[in-house]
Structure formats: C-alpha cells, structure tokens
Amino acid sequence: MKKMIWLLWLVSTLALAGFLGYELAYEKEKPNFLIGKSTHGHYQIELACDACHTSPFGGEEVLQDACVSCHGDELKASLDSHPKKKFTDPRNADLISVLDARQCVSCHSEHNPDITHPMGLTLPEDYCVQCHADVGEERPTHKGLTFETCASAGCHNYHDNRALYEDFLLKHAHDRTPSPQQLLPSTLKQYLASQRVEWPEENLHSIKGHAQVQAVTTPEIEHEWLSSAHGQAGVGCNSCHTSAPSELWIEKPGHQQCQSCHTAEVKGFLAGKHGMRLAQKLSPMTPEQARQPMQTDAGHAQLGCNSCHNAHTDNRIAASTEACLGCHADDHSLAFEQSPHGQLWQQVLSGERTAEEAVSCATCHMPRESVDHYGDSFTQVQHNQNATLRPNEKMIRSSCMSCHTLAFSIDALADEKLINNNFSGSPDNHIESIDMAVSRDVKHR
Ligand code: HEC
Ligand code: HEC
Ligand code: HEC
Ligand code: HEC
Ligand code: HEC
Ligand code: HEC
Ligand code: HEC
Ligand code: HEC
Ligand code: HEC
Ligand code: HEC
C-alpha cells in the first residue's frame, strides 16, 4: 500500500514538472510562474514574462533595455527632465549612491503590490528630498513646503514638465480665456500624406472586383459604404476584406487590414491599454478582464478598431463618446453626459454646434495632434488613450488650453473631486506655481 502511494506521488510530481516545464518553454502566457500581482500599467501583459524578461540572463540591463524599448520614445517626446544622461555625469556620483536614478527599476519595480503607488512608483512619496534637500534655501518661495507635495500637488512631475516649467508658466501667466479652437481634421489629400505611405493604387479595387463580394454584399452594406469616407475615397470592399497575395475573403477584418493605410493609428492603438495585449500577440482585451468598472453587457466585447468605428460607416462622432460609454462605467465616465462639457456635446448631436466647438471623451483622451510631413503639418488622432492620461498635466497642452487658461487648467486637473464628477463645477483649490514664478521673476528684474 505504502509503495502504491509513493508511486502515485512520483507520477504526479513528474506530471506537474512536465506540465510546468512545458508552460515555461512553450506557452506565451505563464500563469504558474508569476511571483506577485503586477502594476496597473502592466497587468494585462503580466503573464507574457518575456515582454520584459527578454532573456533569462543579463539581470538589470535586460530589464532596462525592455523598459526603454517600449517607453523610450514617449519619455524623449516629453522632454524628460531627469533623463539617464543627467546621472551618468561624474559630478552627480554622490546623488546616485543614494538613489540610482540611471535604472528605471530603482523607482519602478514590479510584482510588489504592497509598495506600489500610482504610475508604477515603488518609492516612498517624499523621495525628491534625496537630491533636492536644499531647495528651501535656494528658493524662498519653497521654504516650509513638505517633500510629499513636490509631485503630488500639481506643481512638478519627475519626467514630464512640458506644461509646468518656469518659462511656460511665465509666458501664460496673464492669458485670458481663449475662444474654443481645436485642430480641424485634415482633408483627404493631407491625410494620406500624413500617413507617410505611398497610396497603394492596387487597393482601389472596384466594388464588383471580387467574386466573394457578390456572395456577401447586401444593399444596406453598399449604401453604408458608399456614404462613408472609404466609399467616397474609393477604398473598395477588397481593401479591407482580402489581403495580398492570397486574395482570400477575410470575414472579420482586424487591425492588420487597416495597418497598410492607417499606420499611425494602429501604432498608437497597440501602445495603449486598448491594444497592448494584441501588441504582444495575446488574445484581445475584453471588459471582463479589466480592473476598472465596465458595463456588464459589454463583458465579451473584444477590443479592436471596430470597437469604436462601425465597420462600414466610420462615424467619427459616435466613436468619440457613445462608443466609449458602451464599455466604460466608472463614476467619471458616467458623469460626463450631465457635465458642462457633456451638455455642449449634446448640442453637437443635435446639430447646433460643430465637434470642434465642443468636448467629447476623445477631446481629452484621443486628441487631434499636429504632425509634420516634409515641412507641411497635418492633423492626426492620437490613438493611444494613455498618451495623455497620466500624469494628467499632459492634457493641458493637448486639450484644455485650446479653451481655458493655463492657471484654470492646472487647478482643475489637481482637483480629484472634479475628475470624479467629470468637471462639473469650479476647482476648490488654487495651485500657486504661476504666482511663485511671477514673484521670483519680478524680484530678479
Ligand atoms: C512589465 C514587465 C514585466 C513582466 C511582464 C514580468 N516581469 Fe518579472 N520583473 C519585472 C521587474 C521590473 C522586476 C524587478 C527587478 C528589480 O526590482 O530589480 C521583476 C522581477 C522578477 C523576478 C525576481 C528576480 C529578479 O530578477 O529580480 C522574477 C523571478 C520574475 N520577475 C519573474 C517573472 C515571471 C515568471 C513573469 C511572467 C509570469 C514576469 N516576471 C513578468 C518586470 C516584469
Ligand atoms: C512590451 C512593452 C512594455 C515594456 C517592456 C514595459 N512597459 Fe511599461 N507599459 C507598457 C504599456 C503598453 C503600458 C500601459 C499604457 C501606458 O500607461 O502608457 C505601460 C505602463 C507603464 C507605466 C504606468 C503608467 C501609468 O500611467 O500608470 C509605467 C510607470 C511603466 N510602464 C514603466 C515601465 C518600466 C520601468 C519598464 C521596465 C521594467 C516597463 N514599463 C516595461 C508597455 C511596456
Ligand atoms: C528617480 C525615480 C524614477 C526613475 C529612475 C524613473 N522614473 Fe518613471 N516615474 C517616476 C515618477 C515619480 C513618476 C510619476 C509621474 C511623474 O512624477 O513624472 C514616473 C512616471 C513614469 C511613467 C508614466 C508616464 C509619464 O510620462 O510620467 C513612465 C512610462 C515611466 N515613469 C517610465 C520610466 C522609465 C522607462 C524609466 C527608465 C528609463 C523611468 N521611468 C525611471 C520616477 C522615476
Ligand atoms: C537622483 C537625484 C534626483 C532626484 C531623486 C530628483 N531629482 Fe530633480 N534634478 C536632479 C538633477 C541632477 C537635476 C539637474 C540640476 C541642474 O541641472 O542644475 C534636477 C533638476 C530638477 C528640476 C529643474 C530642472 C528642469 O529641467 O526642470 C526640477 C524642477 C526638479 N529636478 C524637480 C524634482 C522633483 C519634483 C523630484 C521628485 C519627484 C526630483 N526632482 C527628484 C536630481 C534629482
Ligand atoms: C474599411 C474597411 C472595410 C471596407 C472598405 C468594407 N468592409 Fe465589410 N467589414 C469590415 C469590418 C471591420 C467588418 C466587421 C468584422 C467584425 O464584425 O468583426 C466587416 C463586416 C462585413 C460583413 C459581415 C456582416 C456585417 O455587416 O457585419 C460583410 C458581409 C461585409 N463586411 C461586406 C462588405 C462589402 C460588400 C463591402 C464593400 C461594399 C465592405 N464590406 C467594405 C471592414 C470593411
Ligand atoms: C486601402 C486603404 C485603406 C484601408 C485598408 C483602410 N482605410 Fe480607413 N481610410 C482610408 C482613406 C483614404 C480615408 C479617407 C480619409 C479622409 O477622408 O480624410 C480613410 C478614413 C478612415 C476613417 C475616418 C472617417 C472619417 O469620417 O473621417 C476611419 C475611422 C477609418 N478610415 C478607419 C479604418 C479602419 C478601422 C480600417 C480597417 C478595418 C480602415 N480604415 C482601412 C483608407 C483606408
Ligand atoms: C477607443 C476608440 C477607438 C478605437 C479602438 C479606434 N479608434 Fe480610430 N478614432 C476614434 C475617434 C474618437 C476618432 C475621431 C476623433 C476626432 O474626430 O477628433 C478616430 C479617428 C480615426 C481616423 C481618422 C483619421 C485621423 O485623423 O487619425 C482613422 C483613420 C482611425 N480612427 C483609424 C483607426 C484604426 C485603424 C483603428 C484600429 C487600430 C482605430 N481607429 C481604433 C476612436 C477609436
Ligand atoms: C470595447 C470596450 C471599450 C471601448 C469601446 C472603449 N474602451 Fe477604453 N478601455 C476598455 C478596457 C477593457 C480598458 C482597460 C481597463 C483596465 O485595464 O482596467 C480600457 C482602458 C481605457 C483607458 C485607460 C485607463 C487606465 O487607467 O489606464 C482610457 C483612458 C480609456 N479606456 C478611454 C476610452 C475612451 C475615451 C473611449 C472612446 C473613445 C474608449 N475607452 C472606448 C474598453 C473599452
Ligand atoms: C475634460 C477632459 C475629460 C473628458 C471630457 C473625459 N475625461 Fe476621462 N479622464 C480625464 C482625466 C483628467 C482623468 C484622470 C487622469 C488621472 O489623473 O489619473 C480621466 C480618467 C479617465 C479614465 C481612467 C479612470 C481611472 O480610474 O483611472 C477613464 C477610463 C476615462 N477617463 C474615460 C473617459 C470617458 C469614457 C469619457 C467620456 C464619457 C471621459 N473620460 C471624458 C479627463 C477627461
Ligand atoms: C473645446 C473647448 C474646451 C476644451 C478643450 C476643454 N473645455 Fe472645459 N469647458 C469648455 C466650456 C465652453 C465650458 C463652459 C460650459 C458652460 O459654461 O456651460 C467648460 C467648462 C469646464 C469646467 C467647469 C467650469 C465651471 O465653473 O462650471 C471645468 C472644470 C473644465 N471645463 C475643465 C476642463 C479641463 C481640465 C480641460 C482639459 C482636460 C477642458 N476643460 C477642456 C470648453 C472646453
């Protein structure tokens, strides 16, 4: 009997080892090896270990390279005010002996839920003191301020200070409220040039060009398509429903089919929370996998381009708010329709205003951006809805300042209550950074 139990134990141990070994070597997702819950930013891809641990050897440098390969461009674009090169300078050797700011993991570790703050920060919140203990002496305006408030009160960020640096504050100290003016969508010709791709002539098949089209087409689909931007630009059924060279009919075109013409939109989509699983070749994200509150009836909806864009109508207006509310159900999202901005949006839906004079979810989360192409500038929609999300001062230049002053925008974005009720009401507190910059400027003259 004893022998039997022992044998059973041996067999099951071997089976388990074999199972785990197989997972380790061959499965893309490795749930049995996760050593601790991941951060809000990464949990969607936490089981794809090799997204970060690209090699089992090499330690810190391997992780550093992985961080930079996914986030390097974004930090560079944000004019990171504490880049690695600031700390490779030998004069700063004493600073990095306290906190090695050359390595991302000194401040952003992983699998440590107990010590993780917002934005994947795994340091105590007053850590600026490590290097700026003297700021109170150098700047009388800073005397008596506590170090937890440097980066939590709307004054500074560690990386991105594009809307908060001193010269910018001074430049906009006396602005009056501008009249609403958002970028206009580009025209077709400008738009295609902005995509930096040669217009693929061969994609312009006629609607009758494929035997399969005859088999599946309906008058409704043809009507929708004809009145859409695609129909009007001559982008035929085959452009989306077949892929060269096989020319087989694809029943449900995915982002791969849109990519040849919409490179920038696909790239942005894959870099944010909506597309990051697809970027790792994992199954698409769905609301039921989310940590945030979602509409229960949207549970199984798979995220892709047509989560927001109806396949054959490409309606920009519906994509800007109605689509979002089909999934998102947190307090902030649900408060939008009753907010002053939401009321303006109602006027767009009823035809009293243009989308450029109003505010939708997309105005803040997917802003139109100006991009340069051989010296001309064009407008494009940022499809990474995390690109302006955190720290939220990123929204100031990309959106708020087309309609509000800098001072009002800083105050509003520092007010958590206003974020929760989607900006219904005025800010409770005033952030003094502009006043401080002005008083120092006056003294120095
Ligand atoms: C989003 C990036 C990311 C993903 C995905 C990820 N890790 Fe990590 N992992 C890290 C970081 C960052 C550290 C911390 C390194 C430090 O603090 O020095 C770490 C540390 C570890 C450690 C501790 C040993 C060490 O090198 O410090 C182990 C073990 C580990 N991870 C295993 C895994 C496994 C297994 C998976 C997949 C189930 C996984 N990780 C997925 C980023 C990641
Ligand atoms: C495979 C690509 C990839 C790798 C590798 C990766 N990240 Fe990320 N990271 C993302 C994506 C995608 C998000 C979610 C979207 C966003 O917030 O930008 C994210 C989110 C974050 C956030 C949170 C931002 C927020 O708004 O909460 C931080 C901080 C971060 N990453 C730092 C790191 C660090 C440090 C490393 C290296 C240990 C790393 N990442 C490795 C793709 C990656
Ligand atoms: C000395 C600490 C420190 C180091 C080192 C550090 N970060 Fe951060 N990081 C922060 C803090 C603090 C935040 C929170 C937002 C802020 O204050 O700018 C942050 C935020 C972020 C974000 C969120 C988006 C943004 O623009 O702020 C990303 C992504 C990020 N860090 C990536 C990295 C990467 C990649 C590295 C390594 C190249 C790195 N960080 C090194 C402290 C650090
Ligand atoms: C590891 C050391 C270190 C830490 C931690 C650190 N800094 Fe710095 N910081 C520096 C260095 C070095 C400079 C460059 C000083 C110079 O150029 O004279 C700098 C410059 C600055 C500047 C002015 C320069 C600019 O380009 O805007 C500000 C503002 C600033 N830091 C704020 C902060 C805040 C806020 C924190 C915490 C969130 C912080 N720092 C954390 C080392 C650090
Ligand atoms: C811009 C790309 C694009 C063009 C152009 C296009 N389709 Fe589609 N089509 C799609 C997408 C995306 C789906 C939805 C797939 C899904 O549900 O996941 C779809 C779905 C369909 C379906 C499935 C039934 C339905 O309505 O959802 C049929 C049939 C169809 N398309 C026929 C056509 C015909 C006929 C044309 C030309 C008149 C055409 N499509 C033009 C992208 C396109
Ligand atoms: C063969 C090239 C091509 C393919 C493939 C393609 N598109 Fe387009 N798309 C265009 C052109 C051309 C326009 C017109 C731009 C304009 O009018 O400004 C356009 C416009 C759009 C618009 C804007 C509509 C508007 O009202 O301004 C959306 C949204 C869009 N496409 C989504 C998609 C999606 C999603 C896919 C994949 C299912 C896709 N496209 C596939 C060429 C293409
Ligand atoms: C989360 C919702 C959402 C998803 C997912 C999404 N889009 Fe969009 N897209 C929008 C909104 C909203 C606009 C219009 C914003 C405006 O008019 O300012 C837009 C505009 C566009 C445009 C108009 C051209 C421009 O200026 O960029 C194209 C093309 C486009 N999307 C393609 C795509 C493709 C391809 C995908 C899949 C990779 C995709 N979209 C996924 C919401 C989305
Ligand atoms: C098909 C469902 C779906 C649609 C439609 C959709 N989203 Fe999302 N969205 C998600 C899911 C799922 C997440 C990931 C949430 C999480 O990780 O907890 C997400 C994440 C986000 C985030 C990042 C949250 C964070 O904390 O990092 C923002 C911002 C966002 N969506 C805004 C929008 C906007 C704006 C629209 C419309 C233009 C939209 N979404 C349309 C499902 C959707
Ligand atoms: C006036 C600008 C604005 C508008 C309009 C807006 N948001 Fe936001 N949204 C924000 C800000 C600011 C945050 C907070 C970012 C931060 O600091 O974490 C946020 C956060 C979010 C988050 C993340 C919530 C979380 O718990 O982390 C989601 C999801 C989101 N918004 C979706 C939407 C949707 C859906 C709509 C439209 C119904 C919308 N937002 C309208 C500015 C806006
Ligand atoms: C396209 C223009 C536009 C953009 C962009 C915009 N707003 Fe507004 N916002 C308005 C208008 C117009 C009102 C006033 C509506 C009214 O008076 O009924 C308003 C009202 C507000 C209010 C309420 C003020 C009160 O006293 O009731 C707040 C707070 C606010 N916006 C914050 C923001 C923030 C923060 C951003 C950027 C994330 C932003 N807005 C982006 C046009 C805009």
Side-chain angles (χ1 to χ4, degrees):
M1 189 61 195
K2 242 187 186 165
K3 225 182 197 169
M4 274 294 282
I5 293 178
W6 199 84
L7 206 68
L8 212 66
W9 177 82
L10 185 71
V11 170
S12 53
T13 312
L14 283 176
L16 184 66
F19 168 73
L20 291 176
Y22 183 84
E23 181 182 299
L24 189 60
Y26 300 110
E27 295 285 350
K28 178 81 189 166
E29 297 194 271
K30 308 188 195 336
N32 291 298
F33 291 89
L34 191 66
I35 57 168
K37 252 175 101 178
S38 310
T39 54
H40 180 72
H42 294 140
Y43 82 96
Q44 288 189 22
I45 57 166
E46 69 185 1
L47 299 181
C49 317
D50 58 7
C52 297
H53 302 283
T54 53
S55 145
F57 313 103
E60 244 178 15
E61 277 314 308
V62 167
L63 277 172
Q64 179 79 8
D65 289 347
C67 312
V68 173
S69 78
C70 290
H71 294 289
D73 288 349
E74 154 199 1
L75 289 183
K76 209 179 273 164
S78 71
L79 310 175
D80 188 358
S81 49
H82 294 84
K84 185 176 177 180
K85 64 172 189 297
K86 234 178 204 170
F87 301 103
T88 46
D89 185 333
R91 279 170 299 179
N92 285 329
D94 55 326
L95 296 181
I96 58 171
S97 64
V98 195
L99 177 64
D100 188 353
R102 295 168 306 177
Q103 303 292 338
C104 315
V105 295
S106 303
C107 305
H108 302 284
S109 188
E110 260 301 345
H111 322 301
N112 280 317
D114 296 344
I115 54 160
T116 304
H117 301 289
M119 289 179 272
L121 196 66
T122 46
L123 280 179
E125 283 178 65
D126 63 351
Y127 72 92
C128 311
V129 71
Q130 310 275 17
C131 305
H132 295 294
D134 299 336
V135 69
E137 284 144 44
E138 288 156 11
R139 290 176 181 250
T141 50
H142 283 55
K143 204 170 229 104
L145 298 178
T146 59
F147 280 93
E148 298 89 71
T149 62
C150 315
S152 66
C155 301
H156 299 288
N157 291 314
Y158 182 77
H159 297 296
D160 185 344
N161 289 292
R162 275 173 294 177
L164 300 173
Y165 66 91
E166 218 166 340
D167 289 346
F168 190 74
L169 298 177
L170 286 172
K171 184 170 165 210
H172 294 283
H174 304 294
D175 282 356
R176 296 185 172 207
T177 303
S179 47
Q181 42 162 241
Q182 298 184 62
L183 294 168
L184 289 168
S186 288
T187 64
L188 174 58
K189 199 157 146 276
Q190 287 172 329
Y191 174 75
L192 291 172
S194 74
Q195 298 290 300
R196 290 152 213 240
V197 286
E198 289 296 314
W199 175 233
E201 282 290 339
E202 70 275 17
N203 275 339
L204 290 170
H205 292 305
S206 103
I207 171 169
K208 306 282 182 206
H210 197 286
Q212 268 286 351
V213 173
Q214 306 296 335
V216 299
T217 190
T218 64
E220 290 84 48
I221 294 180
E222 283 180 27
H223 177 76
E224 282 185 342
W225 172 80
L226 272 172
S227 42
S228 74
H230 288 129
Q232 284 170 20
V235 177
C237 321
N238 298 358
S239 308
C240 296
H241 283 283
T242 63
S243 69
S246 74
E247 296 284 305
L248 287 177
W249 183 259
I250 297 166
E251 210 186 312
K252 296 185 169 217
H255 68 277
Q256 297 88 342
Q257 275 67 52
C258 318
Q259 199 157 14
S260 56
C261 302
H262 300 304
T263 327
E265 287 80 0
V266 175
K267 190 169 172 230
F269 168 74
L270 293 176
K273 282 278 176 67
H274 288 148
M276 68 190 286
R277 284 184 57 86
L278 287 171
Q280 293 303 315
K281 308 221 163 22
L282 301 172
S283 61
M285 186 60 184
T286 58
E288 67 188 347
Q289 293 167 271
R291 286 184 180 175
Q292 286 167 355
M294 295 277 159
Q295 303 284 2
T296 39
D297 58 354
H300 303 298
Q302 300 192 329
L303 270 149
C305 305
N306 52 324
S307 300
C308 304
H309 299 295
N310 183 306
H312 300 127
T313 58
D314 309 316
N315 185 335
R316 281 167 177 263
I317 302 286
S320 302
T321 298
E322 284 65 30
C324 323
L325 289 172
C327 292
H328 287 278
D330 52 281
D331 292 347
H332 160 88
S333 300
L334 295 179
F336 175 75
E337 286 181 328
Q338 297 306 319
S339 72
H341 292 148
Q343 298 298 311
L344 292 176
W345 191 247
Q346 289 304 318
Q347 297 175 2
V348 175
L349 298 180
S350 63
E352 292 160 60
R353 271 176 199 272
T354 66
E356 287 67 44
E357 298 166 305
V359 180
S360 66
C361 313
T363 307
C364 297
H365 293 295
M366 301 180 67
R368 293 177 191 158
E369 293 176 340
S370 183
V371 291
D372 286 332
H373 182 67
Y374 298 119
D376 290 318
S377 55
F378 305 102
T379 311
Q380 212 155 54
V381 174
Q382 172 56 269
H383 273 66
N384 173 358
Q385 75 304 319
N386 283 85
T388 59
L389 189 63
R390 282 183 291 262
N392 66 28
E393 291 88 357
K394 285 183 179 176
M395 278 182 202
I396 294 178
R397 293 178 71 158
S398 63
S399 134
C400 319
M401 275 183 78
S402 22
C403 307
H404 298 288
T405 60
L406 176 60
F408 177 83
S409 309
I410 292 178
D411 290 353
L413 287 167
D415 189 333
E416 236 165 80
K417 181 189 93 248
L418 283 186
I419 293 175
N420 280 337
N421 69 18
N422 220 315
F423 306 98
S424 308
S426 18
D428 270 348
N429 290 310
H430 175 55
I431 309 298
E432 290 178 3
S433 34
I434 295 182
D435 317 332
M436 286 182 181
V438 169
S439 80
R440 188 172 131 99
D441 190 48
V442 170
K443 283 191 202 115
H444 278 230
R445 266 199 216 136

